Amino acid sequence: MTALIESALAHNGVACVDKLVQLAQISGCIDVQCEFKGTWCVAQPALQHTAVLHIVVAGCGYVQLQGEKDFRYLCTGDVIFFPRAAAHRLSSSPKVQAMSPISQQQQGAMTIKRTGDSGEVLQFFCAHFRYTPQSLLFQNLPAMLKISLPSDHLSPLLKLLQNEVARPKPSSVVIDSLSMVLLIDLLRHYLNNEPQGVTHFLLGLQDARLSPVLNAILQDPSQKWTVEAMLPLAKLSRAQFMRLFKQHLNESPHAFVLRIRLAYGASLLRQTADSVLSIALQAGFRSETHFIQAFKAQYAITPSRYRHH
């Protein structure tokens, strides 16, 4: 899994999705299988700190993001991704307005949802991923992405998933692992091939002058990242660098470094048993007191409480 994550994003020579995933503290899985027949319409409410993924395995339908007039056509092989779980609805036709009753049953860790009993069918899997609210990865993606992954990427994953779900006792470990692989593959494909609508940090990663700086900070936030230390990587004058940084990231280099250090510290709090002092030093803070003050200002909670929250 580590090798897959490490190779998942390579835009302009930058490979940092492993760090973005680590800092986002992502957890989740493919947990719903849907089979909707005939004429139908279902709604998905907005969720906090959650990403939602729909993978169409058969049939066709439509998706509409709440607040938008346009409907997007869905067919076999499409993947619809809502990085911030925006409210949306799925339907057999844009003309269908009434919500359909849904029956559901539990099959291991998978919930099976059905509506209708005849007619054309749309079959898809749904995944839900929880992440920290401060995630740079999910904050800077569009509200909805519609992606058609190459069949040589998607088909093997779906076959493994369908085979696992069909077992009498599906393994949640296998499903969780396949979910993460699918998420990484989707992000890799989108950011490398069609990154429309990305903002701030992800936009900065696409800039050949800023990407070496941002990647270096992500890889080692504990370094003494003064503006003077960043300039050789960007190969810009100080004035040019500050203007470009503000334009793309909408914050100062100092504020960005602080945010990455805090996110790194937050991930260590959850993933290790290291002391708060040790984590503070690993994240590049001068003292435990400085780390606690900055952490509480950003997360509205002390590091110790965050660890057990």
Side-chain angles (χ1 to χ4, degrees):
M1 183 62 68
T2 301
L4 284 167
I5 291 175
E6 288 178 347
S7 65
L9 177 59
H11 187 82
N12 288 336
V14 178
C16 61
V17 80
D18 56 334
K19 292 296 181 182
L20 295 176
V21 169
Q22 177 189 357
L23 298 181
Q25 300 181 48
I26 302 170
S27 64
C29 68
I30 299 169
D31 52 2
V32 179
Q33 182 179 9
C34 297
E35 186 177 283
F36 299 154
K37 295 180 179 180
T39 300
W40 54 271
C41 181
V42 298
Q44 167 71 56
L47 301 171
Q48 286 192 325
H49 318 319
T50 303
V52 174
L53 189 66
H54 301 318
I55 312 114
V56 180
V57 296
C60 59
Y62 292 85
V63 61
Q64 181 189 38
L65 190 65
Q66 185 176 31
E68 292 188 357
K69 294 182 179 180
D70 295 335
F71 288 80
R72 303 194 194 190
Y73 179 70
L74 306 178
C75 62
T76 303
D78 285 344
V79 179
I80 312 300
F81 186 46
F82 300 87
R84 293 176 296 284
H88 60 279
R89 69 174 190 166
L90 299 155
S91 62
S92 57
S93 167
K95 297 179 180 179
V96 182
Q97 299 293 323
M99 294 296 113
S100 304
I102 298 175
S103 65
Q104 64 182 54
Q105 67 182 82
Q106 205 66 30
Q107 183 177 328
M110 190 74 65
T111 300
I112 312 298
K113 295 185 177 182
R114 296 184 175 93
T115 188
D117 53 15
S118 64
E120 297 294 327
V121 62
L122 177 68
Q123 293 181 330
F124 59 97
F125 286 103
C126 298
H128 296 82
F129 299 96
R130 296 280 295 174
Y131 55 84
T132 179
Q134 291 79 14
S135 165
L136 282 169
L137 181 61
F138 293 102
Q139 284 178 350
N140 294 293
L141 287 168
M144 180 174 72
L145 313 179
K146 179 177 178 290
I147 301 170
S148 295
L149 288 174
S151 59
D152 60 340
H153 288 230
L154 189 58
S155 296
L157 286 174
L158 288 181
K159 188 167 183 60
L160 287 170
L161 177 61
Q162 289 170 316
N163 288 343
E164 190 60 38
V165 171
R167 290 176 178 271
K169 294 182 179 180
S171 167
S172 59
V173 174
V174 171
I175 293 174
D176 289 359
S177 298
L178 291 173
S179 303
M180 187 60 71
V181 171
L182 179 61
L183 177 63
I184 297 302
D185 206 29
L186 179 143
L187 291 168
R188 178 201 322 176
H189 181 82
Y190 179 76
L191 293 172
N192 282 348
N193 295 284
E194 44 186 322
Q196 300 92 349
V198 299
T199 61
H200 301 321
F201 171 72
L202 295 178
L203 193 62
L205 278 180
Q206 296 176 49
D207 189 292
R209 297 159 295 180
L210 285 183
S211 60
V213 178
L214 301 180
N215 189 52
I217 294 169
L218 276 173
Q219 297 300 326
D220 192 358
S222 66
Q223 290 295 315
K224 190 176 181 180
W225 287 115
T226 62
V227 171
E228 286 67 29
M230 301 177 194
L231 293 180
L233 294 173
K235 299 179 181 178
L236 294 170
S237 69
R238 183 185 180 91
Q240 289 173 321
F241 176 73
M242 296 297 288
R243 183 169 58 252
L244 190 66
F245 204 99
K246 179 68 174 178
Q247 174 188 333
H248 282 324
L249 277 80
N250 199 34
E251 64 182 344
S252 69
H254 173 76
F256 175 76
V257 171
L258 178 62
R259 188 139 64 100
I260 295 300
R261 285 174 173 169
L262 288 171
Y264 182 54
S267 69
L268 291 177
L269 286 167
R270 291 273 174 83
Q271 297 169 10
T272 75
D274 295 350
S275 68
V276 173
L277 173 59
S278 174
I279 289 172
L281 298 177
Q282 290 178 65
F285 288 89
R286 298 186 304 273
S287 68
E288 181 177 1
T289 300
H290 182 206
F291 174 60
I292 292 173
Q293 290 174 343
F295 194 93
K296 191 172 181 180
Q298 179 74 21
Y299 290 79
I301 192 172
T302 65
S304 296
R305 289 189 62 188
Y306 181 87
R307 166 171 269 165
H308 301 293
H309 186 65

